Amino acid sequence: MWWLIAAVGLGIPLVVTAMPEFGMFAVGAVASAVTAALGGGTVIQFLVFAAVSVALVAVVRPLANRHRTQRPVLASGIDALKGKSATVLERVDGAGGRIKLGGEIWSARALDGDRAYEPGSQVDVVEIEGATAVVI
């Protein structure tokens, strides 16, 4: 019974602070409660609590950190336009121009100000600055 009370006690900080480690310790307490229900001694109960808690922290925490730091697989908005090819509609140079990008007409400028792209040529979008595509 004490292990279940400990599990609930560890679950409260999990909800309040959103620290997943408390949840892992709560699962360890539940595993110890099961061990106690099966007739395991006090020493075995504490060993099960420690083993399950440490195993969960050692396995789940690195997975959660890796998942948290990964960039989204599906790019959206202006991030989805970076790296796309476009067709030059009006001459594009360091001062500006127009391109057709993703079915829409965009203002554009060349990344290298000395470079110019003539109508009909293909360019790649490097960056989006406001409503202007920077191309190479």
Side-chain angles (χ1 to χ4, degrees):
M1 181 60 107
W2 290 107
W3 285 112
L4 294 177
I5 293 170
V8 171
L10 289 165
I12 292 170
L14 167 68
V15 174
V16 173
T17 65
M19 290 181 61
E21 290 83 4
F22 284 111
M24 295 173 208
F25 292 139
V27 171
V30 170
S32 292
V34 170
T35 303
L38 295 175
T42 306
V43 173
I44 292 177
Q45 292 173 29
F46 278 102
L47 289 175
V48 167
F49 172 74
V52 170
S53 298
V54 169
L56 285 173
V57 170
V59 172
V60 174
R61 193 167 187 219
L63 291 174
N65 285 339
R66 189 175 330 129
H67 179 70
R68 185 179 45 153
T69 59
Q70 280 182 336
R71 292 194 52 114
V73 176
L74 179 62
S76 61
I78 61 172
D79 290 331
L81 299 175
K82 294 176 186 176
K84 296 280 186 181
S85 292
T87 304
V88 176
L89 299 177
E90 297 174 10
R91 182 175 187 205
V92 175
D93 55 21
R98 297 252 181 237
I99 60 171
K100 187 167 191 173
L101 173 62
E104 298 176 343
I105 297 175
W106 281 72
S107 61
R109 70 172 178 78
L111 178 64
D112 180 5
D114 298 333
R115 189 84 197 248
Y117 303 97
E118 299 302 324
S121 61
Q122 293 290 315
V123 292
D124 292 323
V125 177
V126 177
E127 186 69 46
I128 303 289
E129 293 177 353
T132 303
V134 180
V135 298
I136 56 172

